[in-house]
Amino acid sequence: MRLIFLTSAVISDILLLIFIIFLQKKKSPLRASIQKIFITAFIGIMANIIIAAAITPMLTNVAFTLYFSSIDLITYQLLMFAFTYTGQLKSLKEFVEFWRVAIIVDVLNLTASIFSGHMYTMYSITLDDGSIAYLTTPASLFNVHLLLCYLPIILTLVLLAISLSKAHNFYRLKYFPILVSLSFIIILNVAYMMFKLPFDWSVLFYAFAGFLLFFYSLFYIPRRLMNNTLSLAVDSMKEGLLLYDAEENCIYINKTAHDDFDIQEETLSLDQYPISLWLEDKDKDNLESFQQIYPMTIKGKDLMIKVDYRICEDNKHNHLGAFFLFEDVTADQILMKNLEEAKAEANQANVAKSLFLANMSHEIRTPINSILGMNEMILRESSDEHILEYADDIQKSGDTLLSLINNILDFSKIESGKMEIRPTGYAPFQLLRECYHLIEPRAVQKDLPIEIKCDPDIPREILGDRERIKQILINLLTNSVKYTRYGQVTLSAKWTPFDEKEGMVSFTVTDTGQGISEDDITKLFNVFQRVDEERNRTVEGTGLGLAICRELVRMMNGNISVSSKQGEGSEFTVSIPQRVLDPMASGKFELQKESAPKRSAYKESFHAPDAKILVVDDIEMNLKLMAALLKKTGLQISVANSGERAIEICKNEEFDLILMDHMMPPPDGHETMKLIKAEGGHNAEIPYVVLTANAVEGAKVTYLSMGFDGYLSKPVLSRDLEEMLMKFLPKDKIHT
Ligand code: ADP
């Protein structure tokens, strides 16, 4: 008997130890509370093993104290567990906290019994097989100990019983097994005491009851709850779900799928509608997943159904089954179609806008070309002061009109993503000088001095899009001059190195002008937004300049900022990261005092009386203009007012170069060039320069790829025209 008890007790203890270790992982309040019970139960069984082994009276006496104390603790912890587990009578939880003090006193008293018999005295009996066993005789204080143990046990049972009576269906299982096993332990324990049995068999059921507690509270109940709730959730989904096992048997169909297709788990095979439709064109043996949209009729409605198929595998890639998930995406499809149509419309509108801008630019440039060209002739040839003044005004207005068109074109390029940043090596000081000379004439007219302050450490050559940076600086400087009446405008440049190879170049334009109010600063960079309109009525502008600057700076990964005080002036700073090409410091900045050539100082850059060129343009005025602009070079100029005429002339005459308009009634410039070249002979080998009002992004590249050797955009500047001719005319015919 003793051996059976001992063996069972050791097995029980080992089991408990395993549970304790297992509970160590992933601790939750419930797991922690169960773990505490198990640890105490483990100690209780250990004590019982020592008692049953009856090694020495003293050791047995100590083991009794340990055992009674562990029962104190177990019952208390059971009660705490019951509060957590049942969620009942939480208010009592605080009240029973005093139990801890009572337990400590009880444990001390039990310990005293080892020496003085406060609670029990120990005696020995002789068992049937002749061996000794130890039992205790309770003293009256022992009843206090019993009360301390049984009161929490009874409370625990009451809590479980109340919860059991309130629970419904499977929730009953949460309480029932624990209630039964606890009651069983109590009965065995009472029997041990009442019948003075040599062994307390109840302790053997600690592990069993523990296992039930463990299994029900931590696995069975949460799992069942999860399964039930999951299937309820899956049933209420608007998507349909069909689950298959690895043998292709349908194991689950949710409510939506049941309702939509009137199908049952037991009878649904892969060959049956709707699965047959979904798998029609698929290789079933090698199918892992697919997603497809099918037009289907469900409950009399024509719908678009998106089907998602996937196989399920465990983490070792064993095939477990598969599922079909389907949903009605009709509304999404309609929305998508509408969006695509709207996008196509928007694209069309954008293309139309770009075309309109290109055409408008072309149409406006053509007459400006004539106006500015003819005006240039007046400026060159007239000596009447009044007429020169009028011509000057025409030129200014023409320039303004031109910059307006350029701004609009630039913005459309930025908007359509066609604006490109083209870095080249440049000398920052040279760039500043050019800006100065470009802005100086305007500033002189307003009596505004322009000061340039330069950081001598700026590297001599850096890499960046010099033309775009110049455009930004000219824009800022033009604004400062435009909006400043007295004082001065300052352009300063600073270099902040990141390392040897890179740094930040910052340009600041400061003026002492009218300034911008705080409210207006926020609107400053908006497209077509002009601020302080009342005061700026007489200042020309479109409100595009700063918006373009901001976009260009952004494209160069830089930053533009402004600070301003109304009535005191403004300060615009542009900072752009640049690579260093020549790290040598630029040194002291010097302005070479040469200004842009003045109109009165026009001087042809070459003479070429032996060279012959043909100018082809359908607008007579342009032909006249070319002849006038090039008069002083002495060139022999023939003109043709159509492609056909040009072809004819080329049959009889040999030229050194042909200047060709592009947009002409058929044949256009390109066609004409091809036809002349097709005739062969001398004129097939000469350079062709296209002279066109088409100035949209990429125009130059397009024309060069068409076979033209050079590209000039209207309105043409005589300086550019002469430069182009010098480049392409035979060198021996040019005299400079
Ligand atoms: P605009 O072509 O009208 O000059 P911008 O985009 O260059 O267009 O500038 C927008 C507005 O910002 C201008 O209309 C002007 O009111 C204000 N502004 C720009 N620069 C300055 C400045 N330096 N001082 C005062 N106001 C300025």
Side-chain angles (χ1 to χ4, degrees):
M1 195 60 98
R2 187 197 302 265
L3 203 62
I4 296 172
F5 182 84
L6 278 173
T7 319
S8 316
V10 169
I11 293 171
S12 262
D13 234 10
I14 291 170
L15 278 175
L16 273 177
L17 196 64
I18 292 170
F19 295 152
I20 292 165
I21 293 167
F22 188 85
L23 282 167
Q24 193 58 33
K25 284 192 281 174
K26 288 202 276 173
K27 268 208 177 151
S28 66
L30 194 66
R31 278 172 170 253
S33 123
I34 296 176
Q35 196 191 34
K36 274 188 205 156
I37 299 174
F38 284 7
I39 291 171
T40 329
F42 175 81
I43 295 168
I45 299 177
M46 280 285 286
N48 254 285
I49 292 171
I50 299 169
I51 295 168
I55 303 162
T56 64
M58 188 57 189
L59 206 58
T60 312
N61 207 350
V62 172
F64 267 119
T65 300
L66 206 59
Y67 169 55
F68 294 141
S69 306
S70 70
I71 297 292
D72 271 350
L73 271 176
I74 289 179
T75 54
Y76 169 74
Q77 282 161 352
L78 257 179
L79 182 61
M80 289 299 145
F81 162 79
F83 281 127
T84 313
Y85 192 59
T86 63
Q88 301 272 358
L89 301 176
K90 279 201 189 99
S91 50
L92 263 186
K93 199 171 169 180
E94 268 76 53
F95 173 70
V96 293
E97 290 288 313
F98 86 93
W99 225 268
R100 248 185 266 173
V101 182
I103 286 171
I104 292 168
V105 175
D106 195 50
V107 169
L108 290 174
N109 222 341
L110 283 166
T111 313
S113 296
I114 299 176
F115 313 103
S116 58
H118 278 167
M119 278 206 184
Y120 64 84
T121 47
M122 207 179 81
Y123 66 94
S124 63
I125 55 166
T126 308
L127 298 179
D128 294 343
D129 60 2
S131 63
I132 301 281
Y134 294 103
L135 294 178
T136 55
T137 311
S140 54
L141 261 181
F142 195 76
N143 294 323
V144 177
H145 165 75
L146 284 184
L147 189 74
L148 274 177
C149 295
Y150 273 89
L151 214 61
I153 282 285
I154 289 163
L155 216 54
T156 302
L157 292 179
V158 169
L159 283 174
L160 288 172
I162 293 174
S163 299
L164 182 69
S165 68
K166 284 190 181 167
H168 50 85
N169 49 40
F170 78 85
Y171 265 98
R172 293 215 174 96
L173 277 176
K174 185 175 167 184
Y175 309 109
F176 187 69
I178 300 172
L179 193 67
V180 171
S181 51
L182 271 182
S183 310
F184 188 59
I185 289 176
I186 292 166
I187 293 167
L188 284 177
N189 189 256
V190 170
Y192 165 67
M193 289 190 295
M194 278 180 62
F195 303 113
K196 295 192 182 298
L197 299 177
F199 307 113
D200 183 359
W201 290 94
S202 70
V203 294
L204 298 185
F205 289 91
Y206 286 4
F208 177 67
F211 174 73
L212 281 179
L213 197 75
F214 185 69
F215 178 74
Y216 274 94
S217 62
L218 297 180
F219 294 96
Y220 185 75
I221 299 298
R223 271 293 141 102
R224 267 201 71 174
L225 194 60
M226 190 181 82
N227 282 347
N228 283 18
T229 325
L230 259 184
S231 72
L232 281 174
V234 171
D235 269 342
S236 63
M237 284 185 341
K238 69 178 186 348
E239 290 87 357
L241 179 70
L242 304 147
L243 294 183
Y244 278 81
D245 67 10
E247 278 78 44
E248 297 182 350
N249 302 310
C250 183
I251 50 170
Y252 181 75
I253 297 177
N254 79 343
K255 192 167 173 323
T256 308
H258 269 301
D259 293 352
D260 283 355
F261 296 110
D262 194 16
I263 43 179
Q264 305 300 328
E265 282 92 341
E266 301 76 32
T267 51
L268 186 66
S269 73
L270 293 184
D271 303 326
Q272 195 183 326
Y273 185 83
I275 314 286
S276 55
L277 172 73
W278 298 340
L279 295 181
E280 203 171 46
D281 51 351
K282 310 275 183 310
D283 172 10
K284 279 181 220 161
D285 297 331
N286 297 310
L287 197 55
E288 291 216 334
S289 68
F290 72 82
Q291 201 180 64
Q292 202 170 319
I293 295 175
Y294 297 85
M296 297 181 87
T297 306
I298 296 178
K299 294 182 189 160
K301 278 195 212 151
D302 291 331
L303 302 173
M304 297 304 286
I305 299 294
K306 187 173 95 182
V307 178
D308 207 332
Y309 170 86
R310 236 168 286 168
I311 57 166
C312 305
E313 289 179 340
D314 63 11
N315 49 13
K316 286 185 186 132
H317 298 293
N318 296 314
H319 183 54
L320 299 179
F323 68 84
F324 291 91
L325 187 70
F326 68 87
E327 67 177 312
D328 174 8
V329 290
T330 318
D332 294 357
Q333 291 287 302
I334 293 171
L335 190 71
M336 191 95 94
K337 204 167 143 238
N338 289 346
L339 276 179
E340 260 160 28
E341 278 170 11
K343 192 176 158 202
E345 261 171 41
N347 277 346
Q348 246 172 13
N350 212 13
V351 169
K353 188 184 81 180
S354 299
L355 203 66
F356 169 75
L357 281 173
N359 285 341
M360 189 188 74
S361 150
H362 185 272
E363 293 311 312
I364 298 175
R365 267 165 203 276
T366 309
I368 299 185
N369 186 40
S370 309
I371 296 169
L372 287 181
M374 287 305 175
N375 197 51
E376 162 96 21
M377 296 318 299
I378 298 173
L379 287 168
R380 271 193 214 170
E381 292 179 7
S382 174
S383 51
D384 183 321
E385 268 310 310
H386 278 302
I387 295 196
L388 282 175
E389 228 173 84
Y390 296 147
D392 237 359
D393 289 343
I394 294 177
Q395 188 168 7
K396 270 186 223 138
S397 302
D399 285 345
T400 308
L401 190 56
L402 205 59
S403 81
L404 196 126
I405 295 166
N406 286 341
N407 269 350
I408 294 176
L409 265 188
D410 268 354
F411 204 78
S412 96
K413 274 186 230 166
I414 289 172
E415 266 202 325
S416 58
K418 283 190 187 145
M419 177 70 86
E420 278 174 35
I421 296 300
R422 298 200 184 98
T424 51
Y426 70 97
F429 275 21
Q430 183 55 29
L431 175 75
L432 293 172
R433 274 185 212 114
E434 284 175 27
C435 290
Y436 176 84
H437 290 308
L438 276 169
I439 202 68
E440 193 205 10
R442 281 189 92 140
V444 166
Q445 279 173 6
K446 292 185 82 177
D447 246 348
L448 279 176
I450 298 200
E451 195 190 345
I452 310 251
K453 286 187 194 163
C454 271
D455 180 354
D457 294 337
I458 298 184
R460 269 225 291 242
E461 196 182 6
I462 54 182
L463 184 75
D465 192 332
R466 123 194 252 291
E467 288 314 310
R468 294 300 173 200
I469 297 176
K470 188 164 148 189
Q471 183 180 351
I472 294 166
L473 294 183
I474 291 297
N475 210 318
L476 297 178
L477 286 165
T478 310
N479 276 350
S480 280
V481 172
K482 267 198 307 194
Y483 300 108
T484 304
R485 221 173 276 170
Y486 312 105
Q488 71 163 32
V489 172
T490 312
L491 168 62
S492 48
K494 220 179 88 190
W495 177 254
T496 319
F498 297 150
D499 53 40
E500 276 169 18
K501 289 190 183 140
E502 246 177 307
M504 180 78 86
V505 65
S506 305
F507 300 102
T508 305
V509 177
T510 319
D511 64 52
T512 52
Q514 64 189 48
I516 306 154
S517 71
E518 248 177 66
D519 277 356
D520 286 342
I521 279 193
T522 49
K523 304 182 215 151
L524 213 53
F525 294 97
N526 292 352
V527 184
F528 294 117
Q529 178 89 52
R530 302 199 69 203
V531 299
D532 212 351
E533 298 245 25
E534 187 55 30
R535 192 149 31 134
N536 295 338
R537 233 184 5 224
T538 53
V539 186
E540 85 269 355
T542 53
L544 268 178
L546 287 179
I548 293 173
C549 287
R550 187 194 53 188
E551 287 308 306
L552 290 177
V553 171
R554 191 183 53 77
M555 287 173 75
M556 293 188 272
N557 301 322
N559 180 45
I560 182 165
S561 62
V562 54
S563 71
S564 182
K565 216 166 194 183
Q566 213 161 18
E568 289 183 20
S570 317
E571 184 177 287
F572 286 81
T573 302
V574 170
S575 305
I576 304 165
Q578 307 271 265
R579 281 220 345 253
V580 178
L581 293 183
D582 181 352
M584 213 42 172
S586 297
K588 191 168 174 303
F589 180 80
E590 300 232 7
L591 256 183
Q592 293 138 0
K593 273 281 174 205
E594 31 92 14
S595 295
K598 293 248 159 44
R599 61 173 158 76
S600 53
Y602 168 76
K603 178 97 185 66
E604 63 281 8
S605 42
F606 67 92
H607 285 108
D610 302 330
K612 262 181 95 176
I613 68 164
L614 174 65
V615 184
V616 189
D617 200 314
D618 60 322
I619 296 172
E620 293 282 349
M621 177 91 83
N622 285 347
L623 294 174
K624 230 157 86 186
L625 177 65
M626 281 300 126
L629 282 176
L630 295 171
K631 197 163 83 181
K632 290 207 170 171
T633 61
L635 273 166
Q636 298 175 44
I637 303 172
S638 300
V639 294
N641 63 359
S642 71
E644 271 169 14
R645 180 86 192 101
I647 296 164
E648 263 209 33
I649 294 175
C650 282
K651 281 184 183 152
N652 307 315
E653 284 184 60
E654 290 187 348
F655 295 99
D656 293 306
L657 181 145
I658 295 180
L659 273 176
M660 181 84 78
D661 181 29
H662 177 215
M663 305 273 211
M664 295 188 291
D668 68 9
H670 182 217
E671 273 297 303
T672 307
M673 176 179 72
K674 282 204 294 193
L675 289 168
I676 298 173
K677 284 190 173 181
E679 292 280 321
H682 176 83
N683 291 337
E685 308 299 329
I686 57 169
Y688 285 73
V689 174
V690 66
L691 186 59
T692 170
N694 183 0
V696 291
E697 178 76 1
K700 183 175 175 185
V701 179
T702 315
Y703 282 115
L704 296 187
S705 70
M706 279 179 177
F708 286 101
D709 300 277
Y711 161 88
L712 281 173
S713 77
K714 291 176 187 172
V716 66
L717 295 174
S718 60
R719 187 167 26 100
D720 296 343
L721 179 62
E722 286 181 13
E723 235 172 61
M724 186 65 82
L725 290 173
M726 278 175 81
K727 182 173 168 197
F728 287 114
L729 283 174
K731 297 282 168 280
D732 56 334
K733 292 187 180 175
I734 292 182
H735 313 288
T736 47

